[in-house]
Amino acid sequence: GIPDIAAKATGFLVNLGIGPPISVAGTSCACPTAAGVIAQLNDLRLQAGKSTLGFLNPLIYTIPSGWHDITEGYNDGCGFGSKGFPATGGWDAVTGLGTPDYESLKTLIANLP
């Protein structure tokens, strides 16, 4: 489904070099966060003499225990006054399978060929 996974997307501080840092949010925060977790997992595999994870989508759905399932909340419905999609147990249209659980993923990924 879409989305496959989610990541924290609010409360990121950006220092513009003038004045105090500002708080930003959105996909531009979540994508690099999730990518950083996957990069760390790839690094662990390379250190173990294994290949990188490659195309992730099939793998994501075979290791649901590697994700923190988000079961509360909803998206804003694209700002049209509705609550949009709710977060539920398992895959949902707000957070996919959930946010990366690095410690679980580290173990799961280490056991892959």
Side-chain angles (χ1 to χ4, degrees), residues 54-75:
F55 181 59
L56 292 176
N57 290 55
L59 175 64
I60 288 170
Y61 291 93
T62 62
I63 54 171
S65 61
W67 313 97
H68 292 288
D69 190 10
I70 308 301
T71 59
E72 296 179 12
Y74 53 88
N75 66 1

Side-chain angles (χ1 to χ4, degrees), residues 6-33:
K8 177 178 168 62
T10 60
F12 284 72
L13 294 178
V14 174
N15 187 340
L16 300 175
I18 54 170
I22 61 169
S23 181
V24 297
T27 305
S28 296
C29 299
C31 287
T33 299

Side-chain angles (χ1 to χ4, degrees), residues 21-111:
I22 61 169
S23 181
V24 297
T27 305
S28 296
C29 299
C31 287
T33 299
V37 171
I38 300 305
Q40 289 291 326
L41 296 170
N42 277 330
D43 188 53
L44 290 174
R45 289 186 53 82
L46 290 171
Q47 289 177 37
K50 297 180 179 182
S51 66
T52 58
L53 295 170
F55 181 59
L56 292 176
N57 290 55
L59 175 64
I60 288 170
Y61 291 93
T62 62
I63 54 171
S65 61
W67 313 97
H68 292 288
D69 190 10
I70 308 301
T71 59
E72 296 179 12
Y74 53 88
N75 66 1
D76 67 6
C78 299
F80 295 113
S82 70
K83 283 189 174 181
F85 296 106
T88 61
W91 182 91
D92 60 65
V94 181
T95 63
L97 287 178
T99 60
D101 177 344
Y102 180 76
E103 292 302 319
S104 293
L105 287 169
K106 184 170 69 169
T107 301
L108 292 163
I109 296 305
N111 293 325

